[in-house]
Amino acid sequence: RKRDSGMEVAYVIMAGTAIVQLPLLLDVLNAAFPSLGLGRVAVHMGKVFRLILAVVCMYGFWLFVSVFLPRTVTDPLRHVSGWLHIAWATWLWTGTFGHFLLASLSAGGVSPKPASKPAPTVVTSSEPGTTGVTSETDPVPATNGSGPSDSTPTRHCAVCNIEKGPDTHHCKPCGHCLVGFDHHCPIIDNCVAELNFGSFFLFLLFGSGGLMYAATLSLPLFWGCWITGSPADAPCREAGAISLVFLAAFTLLLATVSLLAFHALLLSLDVRTIELYKLGHDHDSLSSLAQALIARLRTWPPLAIRPSSRARRLVFNRVTVLHNLFPWLTITAEATAWLRSKHKAA
């Protein structure tokens, strides 16, 4: 019966891992087959995904403290190595969960002010490959590595009644236009734009580090029980489904590292996600798109290190010592400012 209950926990762990990755799968399928309307499913389930991800983060830290730390270091509170493991895991978990809260709960960007007079004609269409985003069919403005061209004419959004600049786009799930819009992320159930892109990128960075650490700690137990040993061995029977945590950690690690690498590549190209989809729509073939992107990578000096690049403005300038090491201080400051604004409004 103990073995059966252990397998039931294993099924729960694997099901939770699959649910956490479901938003990514829906987003990919919606990009490939927009006619299926899968983006609506991700939008409606966004808050559920965000809650599940928060629970997974907290449960993972509890597993580390209660299960894997004692297996890694005997009596960890009496040894320096145990305290080093605790400090490292706490730093990774704090960075992951803290930046997750900052990215998901804070405003993604600034909404432009409503226009005094609406434009006479409005042409709207769905952005190719982007979940729940609508915008005009204007081509992507040419850039020289320092951002969109200032000479690009403004466009009008009929929903928000504003004149939009070249870097402003309307997000259908959120219901408003945002400056510096990158994409709507179903995982955090929020827009990723000018104000929270740094926190979103750091969430992926800390999350990748935390999952890599979790996979490293859980690998010996998985290897001994399922590769070189047998689940019927006494240590494996005692561990039960915990021996399968490595599979969940490794699967989530692959997804998180893929997202991190994708956005790191876009930062090096100084291109936003929505601009990449537009570039893909404007090029006739994948090879021509690849040539255009490679040309941007070969630009010297690199686009990412220029003062006006997205990497410098949204990530590197935000990675201060306090923001990087202690994201809870940033959360406290933003929560205090939000409470003050509510008090003034009342």
Side-chain angles (χ1 to χ4, degrees), residues 268-310:
S268 65
L269 294 170
D270 198 24
V271 173
R272 290 176 293 156
T273 304
I274 193 171
E275 292 176 340
L276 179 65
Y277 282 122
K278 286 185 175 181
L279 286 172
H281 181 71
D282 292 341
H283 286 77
D284 297 334
S285 62
L286 185 61
S287 60
S288 62
L289 174 62
Q291 292 175 1
L293 297 180
I294 291 175
R296 295 182 69 89
L297 283 176
R298 291 178 176 176
T299 303
W300 190 263
L303 300 177
I305 67 174
R306 298 185 182 185
S308 59
S309 67
R310 296 178 66 247

Side-chain angles (χ1 to χ4, degrees), residues 37-211:
L38 295 177
R40 299 176 182 176
V41 179
V43 169
H44 292 307
M45 299 185 65
K47 290 181 175 57
V48 177
F49 292 145
R50 185 165 60 182
L51 177 61
I52 291 175
L53 188 57
V55 171
V56 168
C57 286
M58 292 184 287
Y59 181 67
F61 190 75
W62 177 82
L63 278 181
F64 163 78
V65 173
S66 62
V67 177
F68 291 104
L69 180 60
R71 289 177 174 271
T72 305
V73 181
T74 303
D75 200 1
L77 298 181
R78 294 181 178 271
H79 296 84
V80 175
S81 59
W83 284 105
L84 291 177
H85 274 284
I86 293 173
W88 180 247
T90 303
W91 182 60
L92 290 174
W93 182 84
T94 302
T96 302
F97 195 60
H99 290 298
F100 165 72
L101 292 179
L102 286 173
S104 60
L105 300 180
S106 62
V110 178
S111 300
K113 296 181 179 180
S116 56
K117 293 183 180 179
T121 57
V122 180
V123 179
T124 60
S125 64
S126 176
E127 295 284 1
T130 306
T131 303
V133 178
T134 59
S135 179
E136 286 73 8
T137 54
D138 300 61
V140 177
T143 60
N144 56 4
S146 59
S149 172
D150 294 334
S151 61
T152 304
T154 59
R155 300 156 299 161
H156 184 76
C157 177
V159 178
C160 301
N161 189 27
I162 63 167
E163 299 298 329
K164 302 195 302 182
D167 61 342
T168 303
H169 296 271
H170 183 84
C171 178
K172 189 175 181 180
C174 295
H176 51 253
C177 292
L178 294 174
V179 176
F181 179 81
D182 187 90
H183 69 285
H184 183 89
C185 180
I187 298 178
I188 63 173
D189 188 34
N190 196 13
C191 284
V192 178
E194 192 83 7
L195 297 182
N196 68 343
F197 183 87
S199 296
F200 174 75
F201 189 82
L202 288 174
F203 160 62
L204 295 178
L205 182 63
F206 275 95
S208 298
L211 288 169

